[in-house]
Amino acid sequence: MENIARINDFNFRKTLFKDCSIKDVFEMFLSDFSDKTKGEYRSAIEQFVQYAFCRSIANNGVTSQMLSQVTMFTAKKYYNALLNGDVTGSKLSPATSAKKIYALSAFWKVLPQYFSDIKEGAWKLRISKESTPYDTFSQDEISQLISWAKERGAKGEMLSLWFETSFATGIRKTALCNLKWSEVTHKIDRKTSTMVWIIDTIDKGGKTTNTPISDELYEKLRSKGGKGERVFNISSKTIDRAMAEFKRDVIQDPTRKLCVHSIKSASIDMAYAVSGHDIQMARIQGHHTNSKTTEQHYLGKGVPMVERASYKYKPVQ
């Protein structure tokens, strides 16, 4: 019944937007994201439309016929223009340029559902994202972080709970900061007939993630979390400031590139270890669609040098 309802809802939305404009679909597309992602996607997509057509979606100046002219060749030229500074007046890094292309790709996946003359594949570019590498926290450092945060003034308890939940779930910073109580629901695990608390969030790329948590963590969230609409009465800037202070006062190693995302990396390492090195369990903990992402960008960062196979190898006598 649930699947039928979803199909009916999708068909209803298509009927509702049968004679819609690009602007209508654009706003509907953006509504599925957090405020931060919404702003980034709006800027990236409007920037391309302005550069390519000297028009604005917001002013209803764009038609499907215009966007149907966009090909993979157009996309590649635009990516190079971002790198060379032709779009913004200053050169953008490969990572920043790739983020803009990703936003356009996500929008182009939606457009063909409403406009038959627009093809989805225009933005499927093979791009090497040269992002800044970061390190991971060890399990002991995560425990230190949770304990340290608890002593940080009036919001210490909330800050500590945020870091603990981030580590336990692997949920991204923005999604966790914006988490509402209405997104934490009690559902049945159909495979075991067990009632489980589930956190439903919108993750990177607009995909929905369903993260189970223990009854104990839920009770802790209820007793120490926010009393209003949100689970955490805390902002992303507060999290970033606390992380910077922890690095400076506790870690005291300026050579280590640690950030909030390092908690997610540690969370994936934890899942990999407790599951007996099951790559799929690590992938699920990281909310990744493909296990290649988990293997290439996360696993192994937390492994001490003296535990790696190359170190343990003994030369032939």
Coordinates of all heavy atoms in Angstrom, one line a residue, residues 1 5 26 45 77 90 96 125 161 169 204 291 300 312:
M1 N 0.8 -1.2 0.0 CA 0.0 0.0 0.0 C 0.9 1.3 0.0 O 0.5 2.3 -0.6 CB -0.9 0.0 1.2 CG -2.0 -1.0 1.2 SD -3.2 -0.8 -0.2 CE -3.9 0.8 0.3
A5 N 0.9 4.2 -2.7 CA 0.7 5.6 -2.3 C 1.8 6.5 -2.9 O 1.5 7.6 -3.4 CB 0.6 5.7 -0.8
F26 N 12.1 24.0 -10.7 CA 13.3 24.5 -10.0 C 13.1 24.6 -8.5 O 13.8 24.1 -7.6 CB 13.8 25.8 -10.6 CG 15.1 26.3 -10.0 CD1 16.2 25.5 -9.9 CD2 15.3 27.6 -9.6 CE1 17.4 25.9 -9.4 CE2 16.5 28.1 -9.1 CZ 17.6 27.3 -9.0
I45 N 23.2 26.7 -10.1 CA 22.3 26.5 -11.3 C 22.0 27.8 -11.9 O 22.0 27.9 -13.2 CB 21.0 25.7 -10.9 CG1 21.4 24.3 -10.4 CG2 20.0 25.6 -12.1 CD1 20.3 23.6 -9.7
K77 N 32.7 22.2 -21.5 CA 33.2 23.6 -21.7 C 32.9 24.5 -20.5 O 33.7 25.3 -20.1 CB 32.5 24.2 -23.0 CG 33.0 23.6 -24.3 CD 32.3 24.2 -25.5 CE 32.6 25.7 -25.6 NZ 32.0 26.3 -26.8
S90 N 37.4 34.7 -11.3 CA 38.5 34.1 -10.6 C 38.5 32.6 -10.7 O 37.4 32.0 -10.8 CB 38.5 34.5 -9.1 OG 37.3 34.0 -8.5
T96 N 35.7 22.7 -6.0 CA 34.6 23.7 -6.0 C 33.8 23.6 -7.4 O 32.6 23.6 -7.4 CB 35.1 25.1 -5.8 OG1 35.8 25.2 -4.6 CG2 34.0 26.1 -5.8
L125 N 29.7 14.0 -16.3 CA 31.1 14.2 -16.7 C 32.0 13.4 -15.8 O 31.7 13.1 -14.6 CB 31.5 15.7 -16.5 CG 30.8 16.7 -17.4 CD1 31.3 18.1 -17.1 CD2 30.8 16.3 -18.8
L161 N 26.4 15.8 23.3 CA 25.4 14.9 22.7 C 25.4 14.9 21.2 O 25.2 13.9 20.5 CB 24.0 15.3 23.3 CG 22.8 14.4 22.9 CD1 23.1 12.9 23.3 CD2 21.5 14.9 23.4
T169 N 25.9 7.7 14.4 CA 25.1 7.6 13.2 C 25.8 7.8 11.8 O 25.3 7.3 10.8 CB 23.9 8.5 13.3 OG1 24.4 9.9 13.3 CG2 23.1 8.3 14.5
K204 N 23.4 14.3 1.4 CA 24.0 14.9 0.2 C 23.3 14.4 -1.1 O 23.1 13.2 -1.2 CB 25.5 14.5 0.2 CG 26.3 15.2 -0.9 CD 27.7 14.9 -0.7 CE 28.6 15.5 -1.8 NZ 30.0 15.2 -1.7
S291 N 30.1 1.3 -2.5 CA 31.2 1.0 -1.6 C 32.5 1.5 -2.0 O 33.4 1.5 -1.2 CB 31.2 -0.6 -1.4 OG 31.5 -1.2 -2.6
G300 N 40.8 3.0 6.2 CA 42.3 3.0 6.2 C 42.9 4.2 6.8 O 44.0 4.2 7.2
K312 N 54.4 -4.4 8.8 CA 54.6 -5.7 9.4 C 55.4 -6.7 8.6 O 55.8 -7.7 9.1 CB 53.2 -6.3 9.7 CG 52.5 -5.6 10.8 CD 51.2 -6.3 11.2 CE 50.5 -5.6 12.3 NZ 49.2 -6.3 12.7

